Amino acid sequence: MNGAASARRPAAGEATASGRAAAATRTGPGGRPGSGKSSEAAEGHGSGAAGKSRRFQAVTRDTARPEGGGRAAPGDAPAPARQWPLLAVLGATGLGLLLVAFDAFRVGTLLIGLAMIGGAALRWALPSVGMLAVRSRFTDMFTYGGLGVSIVLLALMAQPKAWLKIPFLDDILHFTVR
């Protein structure tokens, strides 16, 4: 046999030792190809585009803290004091649920809605609200405020003897129930 025969290329299904090693360096978590970086790209060698994958990482390594998600009190304060905005909203919501459980439905539901509106106001007014910050400031304010206003309106319109009567809603209800 000549030298050309010993240096033959592998067939389509065959793999060489160097090919297996290169494929192993490009597989990411879970063994999926293309989700990791090659060893050359990780070390900063090579052309740059050859070893990088355009896919998102299979495993998230870290997340960004939401804006305003820092401590609401100094770091040496006890944990409950650092999270007072969240505890205030949760306390008011818990008190509202307790009132609903003791058959004061309208007052308890109003308190829950006002707690959500208060959470939106705290998110707007304070630069750092601890774990009350879940998303961006705008999204948190919109979510807390929208839920709070809708809960308050529904509590005011609840039957029997609604405290808030909106005439066109009665017309819509009678139109759909006919």
PDB file of all heavy atoms in Angstrom, residues 92-112:
ATOM      1  N   ALA A  92     -50.641  43.917  54.032  1.00  0.00           N
ATOM      2  CA  ALA A  92     -51.955  44.484  53.700  1.00  0.00           C
ATOM      3  C   ALA A  92     -52.791  43.472  52.913  1.00  0.00           C
ATOM      4  O   ALA A  92     -54.003  43.345  53.147  1.00  0.00           O
ATOM      5  CB  ALA A  92     -51.789  45.779  52.910  1.00  0.00           C
ATOM      6  N   THR A  93     -52.151  42.739  52.013  1.00  0.00           N
ATOM      7  CA  THR A  93     -52.874  41.723  51.250  1.00  0.00           C
ATOM      8  C   THR A  93     -53.354  40.601  52.171  1.00  0.00           C
ATOM      9  O   THR A  93     -54.487  40.126  52.051  1.00  0.00           O
ATOM     10  CB  THR A  93     -51.978  41.148  50.134  1.00  0.00           C
ATOM     11  OG1 THR A  93     -51.538  42.222  49.302  1.00  0.00           O
ATOM     12  CG2 THR A  93     -52.717  40.138  49.296  1.00  0.00           C
ATOM     13  N   GLY A  94     -52.498  40.176  53.092  1.00  0.00           N
ATOM     14  CA  GLY A  94     -52.901  39.137  54.043  1.00  0.00           C
ATOM     15  C   GLY A  94     -54.045  39.584  54.931  1.00  0.00           C
ATOM     16  O   GLY A  94     -54.975  38.814  55.219  1.00  0.00           O
ATOM     17  N   LEU A  95     -54.021  40.842  55.380  1.00  0.00           N
ATOM     18  CA  LEU A  95     -55.113  41.376  56.194  1.00  0.00           C
ATOM     19  C   LEU A  95     -56.410  41.417  55.381  1.00  0.00           C
ATOM     20  O   LEU A  95     -57.489  41.089  55.898  1.00  0.00           O
ATOM     21  CB  LEU A  95     -54.752  42.771  56.709  1.00  0.00           C
ATOM     22  CG  LEU A  95     -55.761  43.423  57.632  1.00  0.00           C
ATOM     23  CD1 LEU A  95     -55.947  42.606  58.903  1.00  0.00           C
ATOM     24  CD2 LEU A  95     -55.318  44.840  57.975  1.00  0.00           C
ATOM     25  N   GLY A  96     -56.297  41.783  54.106  1.00  0.00           N
ATOM     26  CA  GLY A  96     -57.480  41.775  53.238  1.00  0.00           C
ATOM     27  C   GLY A  96     -58.043  40.377  53.061  1.00  0.00           C
ATOM     28  O   GLY A  96     -59.262  40.177  53.096  1.00  0.00           O
ATOM     29  N   LEU A  97     -57.172  39.380  52.886  1.00  0.00           N
ATOM     30  CA  LEU A  97     -57.646  38.003  52.762  1.00  0.00           C
ATOM     31  C   LEU A  97     -58.291  37.522  54.061  1.00  0.00           C
ATOM     32  O   LEU A  97     -59.275  36.773  54.035  1.00  0.00           O
ATOM     33  CB  LEU A  97     -56.486  37.080  52.379  1.00  0.00           C
ATOM     34  CG  LEU A  97     -55.975  37.222  50.948  1.00  0.00           C
ATOM     35  CD1 LEU A  97     -54.706  36.402  50.750  1.00  0.00           C
ATOM     36  CD2 LEU A  97     -57.034  36.810  49.949  1.00  0.00           C
ATOM     37  N   LEU A  98     -57.758  37.949  55.190  1.00  0.00           N
ATOM     38  CA  LEU A  98     -58.344  37.593  56.480  1.00  0.00           C
ATOM     39  C   LEU A  98     -59.738  38.202  56.615  1.00  0.00           C
ATOM     40  O   LEU A  98     -60.676  37.543  57.099  1.00  0.00           O
ATOM     41  CB  LEU A  98     -57.430  38.066  57.602  1.00  0.00           C
ATOM     42  CG  LEU A  98     -57.735  37.562  59.000  1.00  0.00           C
ATOM     43  CD1 LEU A  98     -57.535  36.053  59.074  1.00  0.00           C
ATOM     44  CD2 LEU A  98     -56.841  38.252  60.008  1.00  0.00           C
ATOM     45  N   LEU A  99     -59.895  39.457  56.178  1.00  0.00           N
ATOM     46  CA  LEU A  99     -61.218  40.092  56.219  1.00  0.00           C
ATOM     47  C   LEU A  99     -62.204  39.367  55.307  1.00  0.00           C
ATOM     48  O   LEU A  99     -63.378  39.193  55.663  1.00  0.00           O
ATOM     49  CB  LEU A  99     -61.109  41.565  55.820  1.00  0.00           C
ATOM     50  CG  LEU A  99     -60.465  42.489  56.849  1.00  0.00           C
ATOM     51  CD1 LEU A  99     -60.256  43.879  56.255  1.00  0.00           C
ATOM     52  CD2 LEU A  99     -61.312  42.559  58.100  1.00  0.00           C
ATOM     53  N   VAL A 100     -61.735  38.935  54.131  1.00  0.00           N
ATOM     54  CA  VAL A 100     -62.609  38.182  53.226  1.00  0.00           C
ATOM     55  C   VAL A 100     -63.019  36.867  53.886  1.00  0.00           C
ATOM     56  O   VAL A 100     -64.171  36.436  53.796  1.00  0.00           O
ATOM     57  CB  VAL A 100     -61.906  37.934  51.873  1.00  0.00           C
ATOM     58  CG1 VAL A 100     -62.678  36.937  51.025  1.00  0.00           C
ATOM     59  CG2 VAL A 100     -61.749  39.240  51.114  1.00  0.00           C
ATOM     60  N   ALA A 101     -62.078  36.217  54.590  1.00  0.00           N
ATOM     61  CA  ALA A 101     -62.389  34.952  55.261  1.00  0.00           C
ATOM     62  C   ALA A 101     -63.417  35.147  56.368  1.00  0.00           C
ATOM     63  O   ALA A 101     -64.203  34.243  56.650  1.00  0.00           O
ATOM     64  CB  ALA A 101     -61.111  34.333  55.824  1.00  0.00           C
ATOM     65  N   PHE A 102     -63.432  36.324  57.014  1.00  0.00           N
ATOM     66  CA  PHE A 102     -64.400  36.604  58.074  1.00  0.00           C
ATOM     67  C   PHE A 102     -65.640  37.317  57.547  1.00  0.00           C
ATOM     68  O   PHE A 102     -66.316  38.032  58.283  1.00  0.00           O
ATOM     69  CB  PHE A 102     -63.751  37.417  59.200  1.00  0.00           C
ATOM     70  CG  PHE A 102     -62.836  36.597  60.051  1.00  0.00           C
ATOM     71  CD1 PHE A 102     -61.507  36.942  60.168  1.00  0.00           C
ATOM     72  CD2 PHE A 102     -63.301  35.471  60.711  1.00  0.00           C
ATOM     73  CE1 PHE A 102     -60.647  36.186  60.953  1.00  0.00           C
ATOM     74  CE2 PHE A 102     -62.460  34.704  61.496  1.00  0.00           C
ATOM     75  CZ  PHE A 102     -61.130  35.058  61.618  1.00  0.00           C
ATOM     76  N   ASP A 103     -65.932  37.123  56.264  1.00  0.00           N
ATOM     77  CA  ASP A 103     -67.177  37.558  55.632  1.00  0.00           C
ATOM     78  C   ASP A 103     -67.308  39.071  55.480  1.00  0.00           C
ATOM     79  O   ASP A 103     -68.412  39.600  55.442  1.00  0.00           O
ATOM     80  CB  ASP A 103     -68.388  36.996  56.397  1.00  0.00           C
ATOM     81  CG  ASP A 103     -69.584  36.772  55.486  1.00  0.00           C
ATOM     82  OD1 ASP A 103     -69.365  36.597  54.267  1.00  0.00           O
ATOM     83  OD2 ASP A 103     -70.715  36.782  55.981  1.00  0.00           O
ATOM     84  N   ALA A 104     -66.201  39.779  55.379  1.00  0.00           N
ATOM     85  CA  ALA A 104     -66.240  41.197  55.018  1.00  0.00           C
ATOM     86  C   ALA A 104     -65.644  41.305  53.610  1.00  0.00           C
ATOM     87  O   ALA A 104     -64.577  41.875  53.401  1.00  0.00           O
ATOM     88  CB  ALA A 104     -65.458  42.031  56.019  1.00  0.00           C
ATOM     89  N   PHE A 105     -66.388  40.717  52.659  1.00  0.00           N
ATOM     90  CA  PHE A 105     -65.857  40.545  51.304  1.00  0.00           C
ATOM     91  C   PHE A 105     -65.442  41.858  50.658  1.00  0.00           C
ATOM     92  O   PHE A 105     -64.334  41.981  50.158  1.00  0.00           O
ATOM     93  CB  PHE A 105     -66.912  39.846  50.432  1.00  0.00           C
ATOM     94  CG  PHE A 105     -66.591  39.891  48.966  1.00  0.00           C
ATOM     95  CD1 PHE A 105     -65.617  39.067  48.439  1.00  0.00           C
ATOM     96  CD2 PHE A 105     -67.237  40.775  48.121  1.00  0.00           C
ATOM     97  CE1 PHE A 105     -65.303  39.115  47.100  1.00  0.00           C
ATOM     98  CE2 PHE A 105     -66.928  40.832  46.782  1.00  0.00           C
ATOM     99  CZ  PHE A 105     -65.958  39.986  46.273  1.00  0.00           C
ATOM    100  N   ARG A 106     -66.341  42.822  50.671  1.00  0.00           N
ATOM    101  CA  ARG A 106     -66.067  44.061  49.938  1.00  0.00           C
ATOM    102  C   ARG A 106     -64.894  44.833  50.552  1.00  0.00           C
ATOM    103  O   ARG A 106     -63.998  45.286  49.850  1.00  0.00           O
ATOM    104  CB  ARG A 106     -67.318  44.941  49.892  1.00  0.00           C
ATOM    105  CG  ARG A 106     -67.212  46.041  48.873  1.00  0.00           C
ATOM    106  CD  ARG A 106     -68.492  46.830  48.771  1.00  0.00           C
ATOM    107  NE  ARG A 106     -69.702  46.048  48.698  1.00  0.00           N
ATOM    108  CZ  ARG A 106     -70.263  45.633  47.553  1.00  0.00           C
ATOM    109  NH1 ARG A 106     -69.698  45.928  46.420  1.00  0.00           N
ATOM    110  NH2 ARG A 106     -71.376  44.949  47.565  1.00  0.00           N
ATOM    111  N   VAL A 107     -64.848  44.952  51.857  1.00  0.00           N
ATOM    112  CA  VAL A 107     -63.769  45.695  52.520  1.00  0.00           C
ATOM    113  C   VAL A 107     -62.432  44.963  52.337  1.00  0.00           C
ATOM    114  O   VAL A 107     -61.398  45.583  52.063  1.00  0.00           O
ATOM    115  CB  VAL A 107     -64.101  45.892  54.017  1.00  0.00           C
ATOM    116  CG1 VAL A 107     -62.950  46.542  54.746  1.00  0.00           C
ATOM    117  CG2 VAL A 107     -65.366  46.697  54.168  1.00  0.00           C
ATOM    118  N   GLY A 108     -62.452  43.642  52.476  1.00  0.00           N
ATOM    119  CA  GLY A 108     -61.224  42.867  52.302  1.00  0.00           C
ATOM    120  C   GLY A 108     -60.686  42.952  50.890  1.00  0.00           C
ATOM    121  O   GLY A 108     -59.477  43.111  50.665  1.00  0.00           O
ATOM    122  N   THR A 109     -61.561  42.872  49.907  1.00  0.00           N
ATOM    123  CA  THR A 109     -61.126  42.963  48.513  1.00  0.00           C
ATOM    124  C   THR A 109     -60.625  44.361  48.183  1.00  0.00           C
ATOM    125  O   THR A 109     -59.649  44.512  47.435  1.00  0.00           O
ATOM    126  CB  THR A 109     -62.279  42.559  47.572  1.00  0.00           C
ATOM    127  OG1 THR A 109     -62.872  41.360  48.054  1.00  0.00           O
ATOM    128  CG2 THR A 109     -61.788  42.318  46.175  1.00  0.00           C
ATOM    129  N   LEU A 110     -61.267  45.372  48.738  1.00  0.00           N
ATOM    130  CA  LEU A 110     -60.771  46.738  48.559  1.00  0.00           C
ATOM    131  C   LEU A 110     -59.366  46.892  49.150  1.00  0.00           C
ATOM    132  O   LEU A 110     -58.492  47.522  48.547  1.00  0.00           O
ATOM    133  CB  LEU A 110     -61.709  47.755  49.211  1.00  0.00           C
ATOM    134  CG  LEU A 110     -62.957  48.122  48.434  1.00  0.00           C
ATOM    135  CD1 LEU A 110     -63.895  48.954  49.289  1.00  0.00           C
ATOM    136  CD2 LEU A 110     -62.578  48.857  47.173  1.00  0.00           C
ATOM    137  N   LEU A 111     -59.138  46.291  50.311  1.00  0.00           N
ATOM    138  CA  LEU A 111     -57.821  46.368  50.929  1.00  0.00           C
ATOM    139  C   LEU A 111     -56.765  45.664  50.078  1.00  0.00           C
ATOM    140  O   LEU A 111     -55.641  46.155  49.946  1.00  0.00           O
ATOM    141  CB  LEU A 111     -57.869  45.774  52.337  1.00  0.00           C
ATOM    142  CG  LEU A 111     -56.618  45.928  53.170  1.00  0.00           C
ATOM    143  CD1 LEU A 111     -56.243  47.403  53.333  1.00  0.00           C
ATOM    144  CD2 LEU A 111     -56.795  45.284  54.524  1.00  0.00           C
ATOM    145  N   ILE A 112     -57.122  44.537  49.471  1.00  0.00           N
ATOM    146  CA  ILE A 112     -56.182  43.839  48.587  1.00  0.00           C
ATOM    147  C   ILE A 112     -55.839  44.721  47.385  1.00  0.00           C
ATOM    148  O   ILE A 112     -54.675  44.859  47.006  1.00  0.00           O
ATOM    149  CB  ILE A 112     -56.774  42.488  48.137  1.00  0.00           C
ATOM    150  CG1 ILE A 112     -56.899  41.540  49.328  1.00  0.00           C
ATOM    151  CG2 ILE A 112     -55.923  41.853  47.042  1.00  0.00           C
ATOM    152  CD1 ILE A 112     -57.689  40.287  49.037  1.00  0.00           C
TER     153      ILE A 112
END
